[in-house]
Amino acid sequence: ALLPNFPNPFNASTNIIYTLASDSTVELRVYNLLGQVVRTLVHRNQETAIYELDWDGKDDRGQDLTSGAYLLFMRAGNVRQAVKMLLLR
């Protein structure tokens, strides 16, 4: 399960929490509204647990993203889930 990020909207960073009910290959990616991947946060096998991470509002090249709406998409096993995030600079 992917929980809503906090805070939302956010400025400097936002906290992301997700849980795995079974060992899975996890993909956690941030997309812009054009459907382009701007940041891959997780792409690896993980064990059953609760995970927490912070996203700093930067893309995969380390550049600050502009203010706007972004989608956080999680894929883990058969689970597909997304949440909307709002970045305000």
Side-chain angles (χ1 to χ4, degrees):
L2 177 61
L3 303 175
N5 63 303
F6 180 83
N8 193 20
F10 70 99
N11 183 333
S13 69
T14 189
N15 187 262
I16 297 166
I17 298 173
Y18 61 98
T19 63
L20 298 178
S22 61
D23 295 359
S24 302
T25 299
V26 177
E27 294 178 17
L28 196 61
R29 293 191 168 116
V30 179
Y31 290 81
N32 62 22
L33 294 183
L34 298 175
Q36 300 164 323
V37 176
V38 294
R39 181 76 183 262
T40 299
L41 299 171
V42 177
H43 188 229
R44 64 180 171 269
N45 291 325
Q46 292 186 309
E47 297 178 352
T48 303
I50 299 171
Y51 293 89
E52 183 173 349
L53 59 94
D54 285 320
W55 177 47
D56 56 7
K58 295 180 187 273
D59 65 15
D60 280 333
R61 296 171 296 168
Q63 301 295 314
D64 287 334
L65 292 170
T66 60
S67 294
Y70 294 88
L71 297 174
L72 176 62
F73 186 77
M74 182 178 100
R75 180 183 304 175
N78 294 328
V79 174
R80 311 286 187 269
Q81 193 172 354
V83 296
K84 184 177 176 182
M85 303 183 293
L86 189 57
L87 172 60
L88 298 176
R89 295 266 184 214

